[in-house]
Amino acid sequence: MLVYYLVTALHVLVCVILILVVLLQSSKGADLAGAFGGSSTQTAFGSRGPASFLSKITTVSAVIFMGTCLALSLMGGRQQSRSILDTTKQPVSQKPAAHPAPQTPAPSPDEIKKIQQEVEQKQKQDAATGQGAASGGTAPAQAPAQQSKPEAAKKP
């Protein structure tokens, strides 16, 4: 693991060096002084000297960068991924899942109309006999769909 960290540190260092060296290089028509705004073409480095020196540093740092990339990818590929399911303990005996209770199917529109008619008839009978709220009897509660469309139930 120590080697991995050393290669990573070297990789970051080479990245910074490579960025600086590439930024320090000037175009083919100018020298180092021209890149920083100098007016003289004859500087301490000269026009041919730094170009070859910087190009050599660029080449060496690029080779080292590629080597560290390859080394890091090979070292990182050796680590095995583990799942949380591998580390948790499974129960020895598993009971089969209980069968869910069968669901009753939803009523059809015709059945809903029939239920609405029955409720309305019962309410009319209770109102006619006076057994509604006066005698303490309670009418069955209607569903919101039954309350909103009583006229639709009366029409055939």
Side-chain angles (χ1 to χ4, degrees):
M1 200 55 144
L2 180 64
V3 175
Y4 181 78
Y5 292 124
L6 289 175
V7 173
T8 302
L10 178 66
H11 183 71
V12 170
L13 182 66
V14 169
C15 288
V16 171
I17 291 172
L18 188 59
I19 290 170
L20 291 176
V21 170
V22 167
L23 289 176
L24 282 177
Q25 288 183 8
S26 58
S27 63
K28 290 185 177 184
D31 57 351
L32 187 62
F36 293 107
S39 60
S40 173
T41 58
Q42 296 296 329
T43 59
F45 292 111
S47 63
R48 302 257 321 171
S52 63
F53 176 70
L54 289 176
S55 66
K56 287 180 184 179
I57 292 177
T58 304
T59 304
V60 169
S61 60
V63 169
I64 294 172
F65 176 79
M66 288 180 207
T68 56
C69 283
L70 184 63
L72 287 173
S73 67
L74 291 176
M75 282 187 231
R78 290 183 186 166
Q79 295 177 355
Q80 295 178 353
S81 62
R82 291 176 26 187
S83 172
I84 186 110
L85 296 176
D86 295 338
T87 59
T88 58
K89 294 182 180 180
Q90 297 290 332
V92 176
S93 64
Q94 294 180 352
K95 296 179 182 178
H99 295 292
Q103 296 180 349
T104 58
S108 67
D110 293 333
E111 293 173 350
I112 293 174
K113 288 179 184 179
K114 185 178 176 183
I115 294 170
Q116 285 177 343
Q117 289 174 355
E118 290 174 1
V119 168
E120 288 174 0
Q121 287 176 358
K122 187 170 182 179
Q123 287 177 349
K124 286 180 185 178
Q125 289 174 356
D126 289 344
T129 59
Q131 294 178 355
S135 65
T138 58
Q142 291 182 352
Q146 294 171 347
Q147 291 175 355
S148 65
K149 297 184 181 181
E151 293 84 19
K154 292 179 184 177
K155 295 180 183 178

